[in-house]
Amino acid sequence: MPIDPREKIVLFIDGANLYATSKAIGVDIDYRRLLADFNGRAYLLRANYYTALVEDQEYSSIRPLIDWLDYNGFTVVTKPAKEFTDAAGRRKIKGNMDIELTVDALELAPYYDHMVLFSGDGDFTALVAALQRKGKRVTVVSTLTTSTPMISDDLRRQADFFIDVADLAKTVGRPPSTRPVAAPVSEGN
């Protein structure tokens, strides 16, 4: 097991990335089990969930998840998504939380030993390297089981440890919900 039970750990969850990964492998994440699983591995200092929200919608289907996480041990970090029209005239929405996640991870670094990053986004490679220079260990959670990997090769190589969501889903996953669930806002560039 890559996590030492004596360590203080933090979970940083890139909501849009974890949603896309779990959807690609056909599972839903049970966030109550996820919290319990990592609480059982070490001293869980913080569990942060990052997502952008579309503000002008009367109802957002991600709102119940955000509210549940907020009331059940997660620190939820959100910001308004940006709406734009692409060259083909299609309405697009994007919301990138990389900077918020990175700043929080660096600010909290003096207080934890090991960061568990739920994302396959290669933009986090520099963050992982910076934390390692500070003596932190970093586990990245994503998947290689899809036809095209959901994790950047550079990020996987930089991380101290890698956990495949497909393996983690055996303890914290559940079959996909039958009720429709909207995807968190994508991180389009």
Side-chain angles (χ1 to χ4, degrees), residues 121-185:
D121 189 338
D123 291 345
F124 291 120
T125 304
L127 168 63
V128 172
L131 290 170
Q132 290 167 329
R133 287 191 301 274
K134 293 178 177 292
K136 307 303 173 189
R137 295 179 349 133
V138 180
T139 295
V140 171
V141 181
S142 189
T143 193
L144 292 167
T145 61
T146 52
S147 57
T148 49
M150 299 288 290
I151 183 168
S152 151
D153 189 55
D154 289 341
L155 179 62
R156 183 165 177 243
R157 288 173 188 267
Q158 186 65 53
D160 295 299
F161 305 101
F162 172 75
I163 298 174
D164 199 302
V165 173
D167 294 330
L168 188 61
K170 293 171 187 167
T171 55
V172 305
R174 60 178 180 236
S177 176
T178 53
R179 60 186 157 83
V181 175
V185 175

Side-chain angles (χ1 to χ4, degrees), residues 52-55 79-85 91-96 185-186:
L53 296 173
V54 178
E55 286 191 325
K79 76 175 180 186
K82 301 222 184 309
E83 189 175 337
F84 65 98
T85 305
R91 179 178 169 245
K92 295 282 189 175
I93 299 170
K94 77 174 195 173
N96 190 318
V185 175
S186 71

Side-chain angles (χ1 to χ4, degrees), residues 91-104:
R91 179 178 169 245
K92 295 282 189 175
I93 299 170
K94 77 174 195 173
N96 190 318
M97 297 294 294
D98 295 2
I99 297 299
E100 290 79 1
L101 190 153
T102 297
V103 169
D104 289 351

